[in-house]
Amino acid sequence: MSPLRRLGLIAAVIGTVVLMSLTANAATATWTVMPDDQSATADGLSAVSCPSVSFCLALGSNGPEPESFQWNGSSWALSARIGQEDESNLNGISCVSATYCLAVGWNFYHGSTAAAWLWNGSSWSNLTAYNPATKWNSLNAVKCVSASYCEAVGSYSKYEGFGQHALAEVWNGSTWTGQPVNGAKGPVPGVLDAVACASASRCEAVGGGLAAGWNGTKWSPQGLPTVNGGQLHGVSCYRTGCTSVGTSSSGGGIETLAETWNGARWALQSPVGSGNVTGAVNTIWSAVHCGSASNCTVVGEWDSASNNYTLAETWNGSKWVEDTTPSPGSGGHHLTALSCTPGTQVCTAVGWTGGTGPILAERN
């Protein structure tokens, strides 16, 4: 072999190694803690929505008082007060723009009623949500396709918190209207924790071992793969389908679970536990965002025998790859909610660090 050809082969091998290294690194995102000012303290954050890279609203609480926090492009700060200091829980938020966001939850001292609030860019106003029962109604998640179309889901019970049934309702820009979630035997039992919409005529909602689909006319329950201890916590929809994530207890601890909807049926996206962190006692997925079936980001936590840590992972179409996420402080850590700005690869996750203190928000 001539010296020139040998040098060429060596260069080709080196180039291939460098390319493989760059490709591997590109599959892993590095998240950083987003800065905040001294007013941004809470017991934890439960929801976030970022219609742009320079604007996000996050929901949380400080004791019995619900709070909202705003990202202005450079730091987080306490936003305008919601004005409900009577055990209101804020569970979900969806922003169409920086001047239009819808938040949902429930109010304990108002008879455990489903509740909703509207953000106009500077202040919150309370809305009258739909309540199918006189007590024990709750909204857990909301997704706005536009300012005149938002779907919210949760649960209700006519038996003081027992025998819960799935709840769905729609906001048309001025009023809330209930949407029955019925099966062959009437109202579907269970709790819906997350909702995603590809359009006003195609939405998916999940919670625990329950999934339901909206076709523009009605909600219908859907069958799920049989998974031991399967619990779905988050869902994201795209042009060709939806992906839902959660947990299972098929092994010795809590394992990861991902399922996909192709428009006709739900199936396992990958083997149960394929996103487990090596050496973890438990690996928990809480929320997901997918740009497509082969491009998803999921957040949650992983637990050692003595502590728990933030977790983010990326699905590249064939496997889940663990991202690098900080776990500031010495307490427990959990990422509970995720919002990825439309048209970008920028994702924001929020959660808690254990006890009242600085809010936890991270961005990739």
Side-chain angles (χ1 to χ4, degrees):
M1 181 183 293
S2 70
L4 285 177
R5 187 179 180 190
R6 182 177 297 173
L7 287 174
L9 288 173
I10 293 172
V13 170
I14 293 174
T16 301
V17 171
V18 170
L19 180 59
M20 292 174 61
S21 177
L22 289 174
T23 303
N25 291 336
T28 303
T30 298
W31 296 67
T32 58
V33 174
M34 302 170 73
D36 60 76
D37 67 20
Q38 295 300 308
S39 68
T41 61
D43 296 331
L45 298 178
S46 57
V48 63
S49 184
C50 301
S52 71
V53 174
S54 59
F55 177 84
C56 302
L57 273 184
L59 305 177
S61 64
N62 197 333
E65 181 180 359
E67 293 182 329
S68 65
F69 300 88
Q70 181 176 331
W71 170 257
N72 63 10
S74 59
S75 68
W76 286 95
L78 186 65
S79 187
R81 294 193 178 277
I82 295 175
Q84 301 253 149
E85 299 184 16
D86 45 7
E87 295 288 354
S88 293
N89 280 6
L90 300 174
N91 300 324
I93 187 171
S94 183
C95 295
V96 175
S97 67
T99 58
Y100 197 98
C101 300
L102 202 60
V104 299
W106 66 287
N107 187 291
F108 179 76
Y109 285 122
H110 286 185
S112 295
T113 55
W117 296 264
L118 182 65
W119 169 260
N120 65 6
S122 60
S123 63
W124 290 96
S125 57
N126 187 239
L127 305 174
T128 302
Y130 168 75
N131 284 274
T134 55
K135 294 184 68 175
W136 309 109
N137 305 268
S138 175
L139 291 175
N140 299 327
V142 62
K143 177 60 179 179
C144 293
V145 176
S146 67
S148 60
Y149 192 90
C150 302
E151 287 282 352
V153 299
S155 65
Y156 71 94
S157 171
K158 297 182 179 180
Y159 308 102
E160 298 187 353
F162 297 96
Q164 292 172 303
H165 289 83
L167 170 62
E169 52 191 85
V170 62
W171 170 254
N172 65 4
S174 59
T175 58
W176 287 98
T177 303
Q179 299 170 317
V181 185
N182 292 331
K185 298 181 180 181
V188 173
V191 178
L192 294 173
D193 292 321
V195 63
C197 297
S199 68
S201 61
R202 188 163 71 86
C203 300
E204 290 292 325
V206 300
L210 174 63
W214 170 255
N215 64 5
T217 303
K218 66 178 182 178
W219 284 95
S220 302
Q222 300 164 335
L224 291 169
T226 300
V227 177
N228 289 336
Q231 300 285 311
L232 296 176
H233 306 310
V235 64
S236 178
C237 291
Y238 34 88
R239 185 178 59 83
T240 58
C242 303
T243 297
S244 181
V245 300
T247 57
S248 74
S249 55
S250 55
I254 299 176
E255 297 186 299
T256 59
L257 172 64
E259 303 181 8
T260 55
W261 170 257
N262 65 3
R265 68 184 184 93
W266 285 96
L268 289 178
Q269 178 237 41
S270 50
V272 173
S274 60
N276 288 352
V277 174
T278 302
V281 176
N282 303 306
T283 306
I284 299 170
W285 283 345
S286 298
V288 63
H289 173 84
C290 299
S292 68
S294 60
N295 178 18
C296 297
T297 298
V298 68
V299 298
E301 71 171 84
W302 68 272
D303 304 337
S304 69
S306 59
N307 208 339
N308 55 317
Y309 306 91
T310 60
L311 173 66
E313 298 187 57
T314 301
W315 172 252
N316 62 15
S318 61
K319 66 178 181 178
W320 287 97
V321 180
E322 186 179 347
D323 295 343
T324 300
T325 59
S327 295
S330 58
H333 308 83
H334 186 89
L335 295 176
T336 57
L338 174 69
S339 179
C340 298
T341 301
T344 73
Q345 296 293 318
V346 178
C347 294
T348 302
V350 300
W352 50 264
T353 57
T356 300
I359 66 170
L360 176 60
E362 302 183 3
R363 176 168 280 182
N364 65 1

